[in-house]
Amino acid sequence: MSEMITADLVDLDLSADTKEAAARALAERMVAQGRVTDLDGFLADVAAREAQMPTGLDGGIGIPHCRSEYVTEPSLAFGRSAEGVDFGAPDGPADLIFLIAAPAGADDAHLTILSSLARQLMNTEFTSALRSAGDAESAAALIRGDEPESEAAGTTDSVATSAAASADAATGTTTPAPESDDDRPFRIVAVTSCPTGIAHTYMAAESLENAGRDAGVEVVVEPQGSAGFTRLDPAVIAAADGVIFAHDVPVREKDRFAGKPTVDVGVKAGINRPAELITEVRGKAERGEVTAGSGAATPVERGGEPGEGYGSKLRKWLMSGVSYMVPFVAAGGLLIALGFAIGGYEIKSAPSVMQHFVWTQTDSWAALMFQIGAVAFGFLVPVLAGYIAYGMADRPGLVPGFVGGMIASTINAGFLGGLAAGLIAGGVVLAIQKVKIPKAVRGIMPVVVIPLISTAIVGFLMFVVIGKPIASAQKGMTDWLNGLSGSNAILLGALLGLMMCFDLGGPVNKVAYTFATAGIAVSSPSDSAMKIMAAVMAAGMVPPLAMALATTVRGKLFTETERENGKAAWVLGASFISEGAIPFAAADPLRVIPSSMVGGAITGALSMAFGATLRAPHGGIFVVPLIGNAFLYLIAIAAGMCVTASLVVVLKGMRKQAGGTAAGTPDGIAAPTADAKQPVAV
């Protein structure tokens, strides 16, 4: 196996003002050595990984990395910057920059060695030696671990030795602790993971282990990295007094850790403040707090990291409920819309198909679709409430959340009631989990005690205290929507169009979409609600369609990768998948996003002005037969698409004429793609 880093891959005088420029300078060295086959393609994969989470670390370290099909062999490039480059670390710019490139199909041995470098970066003697290295060859040798001990940091192990240590640590094998409970140290098991599974995963593991030794605590870590992971011995988990999850992807087989005091944070917290996490989990153990584990992966694996604002936590909780609710909306809404399309609006008065169904009658099939869709719609509010509570408190929040949501439906409190029920249920469960309880009953808390008490409290509050006021507010909002007409309706359409195009499938987009689907999630939606749904879907189709049009008419303004993405954007836009424009927005947000918002606002306003209606919550052009005033509706979409495409072309053309870099992307780096050439996320 050839060496992963040589002197040719080291730049001790790296001159770069931005992280993109630094990555390009180091990647060019890899290209020159034949380790990377496509510079722009590889840099797009690096940018895609960077977009998931900044790779700057405390201590002046930047570690951009990815797995990519353009990498021929595992490689490291190292740059030392006198001025420093901002990689998003809290303590400022990085002067030590490592670019890690792994092939998409790298074997476990290679990835283990790559991961060992991440552990070495936690050693201050290692980083100090790199800062004082006098030439490229000695720096490369130090990173490889073959520098003579007299010249290298005395206690700095080689990368290969660290790799072996990493493998041993993953098995969960520890030195037997004293048998006496009074003498044995506090025991913690931890899991670390990051989106790529190469760097942060192992850096967090090393940081937690070092902090544990300093605190006299026994810490055993299971890094769930891209080379796979070795499960901790069940006996080690059973003997643990607490658990730390430091992760940015779902913890695999999380149920193994159920019933123990748990601290759940992002992977960077494991790197930057391990001592605080150890103190926190010890405090929870002393207070008898228990967090139930769950093997299922939720959109919100935790309610938010310490120090995160309440607004950010609330957004995560609400998005958890919305993400689980949307499939019910799509299935139920499309079935109801098909029922209306086949049998007319009077089909809602048809008798139950259980008593009357004729195989040869069209009306029977229409009634069947309508009634199945209506049942699916009946789950919307309970699912919304249940999974908001799930996002806050994990599995124990499901029962009170679903019950509270069903009560909201029963008392006609609608989506506002579902939101309230979910938040209350999650809050009640979290409060119960903080109560100190005897160790003997901890095992039944998640399955008996917490569901019983929390459901009773939520039911009481929804039926007796807040249910009626929320139902009144819901009715008032519905009456207001029904009364919208003229300029007010057009302004609402423009506002919803702006929201749909602001973050392309993000939280603001989801707020507008949920607002629209809430109006049609009834068996007999009002005309105003169907107009709102039409405006929202039309505006959401504009960004990807506009980018597809722009790459077609002025392809020279875009990279080859973007032109390929433009072809896919035709289909994504036509299917009402706003995320099809994300690669373009990520590469050039200051031009693409404002242009999309202008086009979306025009489309939303025109749709409302034309009086277009839509009963289906999704489907794009494939549900045109179900749209009222379909021709004018398509005109509204075409107008917004042309406006957005024109603005993007003009703005990118102005930049090119002003001497900007090619393809309209910062420093010429291609945008992250949404096609099959994405780096493998592990």
Side-chain angles (χ1 to χ4, degrees):
M1 181 182 69
S2 62
E3 295 175 323
M4 284 188 296
I5 183 167
T6 64
D8 294 323
L9 296 176
V10 174
D11 185 350
L12 296 182
D13 297 302
L14 180 63
S15 177
D17 296 329
T18 65
K19 60 183 179 181
E20 291 85 3
R24 176 172 285 274
L26 295 176
E28 286 173 345
R29 290 176 174 265
M30 292 184 175
V31 172
Q33 297 300 309
R35 296 169 181 260
V36 170
T37 59
D38 184 327
L39 177 62
D40 286 339
F42 172 66
L43 289 173
D45 291 344
V46 173
R49 169 61 187 88
E50 193 74 24
Q52 294 177 1
M53 184 177 68
T55 53
L57 304 171
D58 286 342
I61 296 171
I63 188 165
H65 58 279
C66 74
R67 299 180 70 181
S68 173
E69 63 176 307
Y70 304 113
V71 178
T72 60
E73 59 182 303
S75 302
L76 292 173
F78 170 64
R80 192 170 67 190
S81 170
E83 300 297 327
V85 179
D86 184 8
F87 275 86
D91 65 343
D95 63 324
L96 301 181
I97 301 164
F98 298 84
L99 177 62
I100 302 180
D107 59 82
D108 291 356
H110 288 158
L111 291 174
T112 301
I113 295 173
L114 286 169
S115 304
S116 70
L117 172 66
R119 286 181 173 267
Q120 288 288 80
L121 293 176
M122 295 293 97
N123 187 325
T124 56
E125 294 184 359
F126 176 74
T127 54
S128 296
L130 284 177
R131 288 188 171 98
S132 61
D135 57 79
E137 183 57 50
S138 62
L142 181 63
I143 294 171
R144 289 195 303 267
D146 55 10
E147 185 79 4
E149 286 191 18
S150 59
E151 298 179 21
T155 59
T156 301
D157 299 327
S158 70
V159 169
T161 303
S162 295
S166 299
D168 291 341
T171 65
T173 304
T174 59
T175 303
E179 294 297 326
S180 170
D181 287 343
D182 294 334
D183 296 335
R184 78 170 182 85
F186 189 84
R187 294 173 179 171
I188 295 174
V189 290
V191 175
T192 60
S193 65
C194 68
T196 312
I198 294 177
H200 294 79
T201 297
Y202 297 92
M203 298 177 81
E206 184 75 8
S207 183
L208 287 167
E209 289 169 357
N210 291 340
R213 282 191 291 270
D214 293 341
V217 173
E218 188 176 290
V219 178
V220 184
V221 185
E222 178 181 285
Q224 295 185 351
S226 58
F229 70 102
T230 303
R231 293 162 183 79
L232 290 173
D233 189 326
V236 173
I237 298 175
D241 301 300
V243 180
I244 295 175
F245 294 140
H247 64 117
D248 285 317
V249 295
V251 173
R252 286 171 274 188
E253 301 178 14
K254 191 176 179 182
D255 271 338
R256 293 175 293 153
F257 305 93
K260 293 184 179 293
T262 302
V263 171
D264 195 338
V265 296
V267 69
K268 280 201 170 183
I271 297 172
N272 297 332
R273 48 187 189 85
E276 293 180 27
L277 302 183
I278 291 172
T279 300
E280 185 176 348
V281 77
R282 293 190 73 166
K284 286 192 172 187
E286 292 171 359
R287 295 189 299 271
E289 296 180 18
V290 176
T291 302
S294 172
T298 72
V300 184
E301 279 292 319
R302 55 192 178 275
E305 298 180 18
E308 191 173 45
Y310 180 76
S312 297
K313 294 180 181 180
L314 180 62
R315 177 182 60 81
K316 290 181 179 181
W317 298 335
L318 296 181
M319 286 303 102
S320 175
V322 170
S323 64
Y324 279 99
M325 182 194 72
V326 166
F328 287 85
V329 173
L334 289 171
L335 283 169
I336 290 175
L338 287 172
F340 283 142
I342 296 172
Y345 282 97
E346 63 274 8
I347 202 67
K348 63 186 179 182
S349 302
S352 170
V353 292
M354 288 186 63
Q355 282 77 38
H356 181 77
F357 183 82
V358 180
W359 290 81
T360 57
Q361 287 186 359
T362 302
D363 285 350
S364 290
W365 288 101
L368 178 65
M369 292 180 185
F370 175 83
Q371 291 172 25
I372 294 174
V375 170
F377 260 15
F379 285 97
L380 297 190
V381 175
V383 167
L384 176 68
Y387 281 99
I388 288 174
Y390 187 24
M392 294 175 67
D394 215 320
R395 190 160 52 189
L398 281 174
V399 174
F402 270 94
V403 172
M406 184 58 71
I407 294 172
S409 294
T410 302
I411 63 177
N412 296 320
F415 277 74
L416 292 178
L419 293 173
L423 294 172
I424 291 171
V428 169
V429 172
L430 290 175
I432 294 173
Q433 288 177 335
K434 293 181 180 297
V435 176
K436 184 174 182 178
I437 58 171
K439 192 172 184 179
V441 298
R442 291 179 186 175
I444 65 171
M445 287 292 291
V447 294
V448 178
V449 179
I450 293 177
L452 173 64
I453 297 176
S454 60
T455 301
I457 294 174
V458 172
F460 169 78
L461 291 174
M462 290 301 296
F463 269 127
V464 179
V465 181
I466 66 172
K468 187 174 180 179
I470 292 177
S472 298
Q474 178 78 14
K475 183 177 184 300
M477 185 179 71
T478 302
D479 293 341
W480 174 72
L481 288 176
N482 290 336
L484 282 178
S485 62
S487 60
N488 288 335
I490 294 173
L491 288 174
L492 178 61
L495 175 61
L496 292 172
L498 287 171
M499 295 174 68
M500 288 299 295
C501 300
F502 175 72
D503 53 1
L504 305 174
V508 176
N509 172 287
K510 286 293 188 291
V511 168
Y513 181 69
T514 303
F515 175 71
T517 56
I520 66 167
V522 293
S523 58
S524 301
S526 66
D527 186 65
S528 295
M530 290 190 287
K531 289 179 180 177
I532 290 171
M533 188 69 250
V536 162
M537 188 169 82
M541 295 167 65
V542 165
L545 289 175
M547 298 314 302
L549 178 61
T551 56
T552 300
V553 298
R554 289 297 302 275
K556 292 183 179 180
L557 294 175
F558 300 88
T559 65
E560 181 179 352
T561 301
E562 287 177 322
R563 290 194 292 272
E564 289 298 315
N565 286 340
K567 297 175 183 178
W570 285 114
V571 178
L572 295 174
S575 303
F576 180 37
I577 300 176
S578 303
E579 289 85 347
I582 286 179
F584 303 94
D588 197 2
L590 295 180
R591 291 166 181 80
V592 173
I593 292 179
S595 300
S596 297
M597 292 173 67
V598 172
I602 291 173
T603 294
L606 287 176
S607 177
M608 293 291 280
F610 294 153
T613 59
L614 176 61
R615 186 63 177 81
H618 217 288
I621 63 170
F622 302 104
V623 294
V624 165
L626 308 178
I627 296 173
N629 295 326
F631 177 73
L632 292 176
Y633 184 76
L634 295 177
I635 292 295
I637 294 173
M641 177 179 69
C642 292
V643 168
T644 295
S646 299
L647 287 173
V648 169
V649 167
V650 169
L651 292 174
K652 283 182 175 286
M654 291 172 60
R655 176 178 182 175
K656 188 173 183 180
Q657 292 173 5
T661 56
T665 57
D667 297 312
I669 294 180
T673 66
D675 57 17
K677 294 183 180 180
Q678 274 280 46
V680 180
V682 288

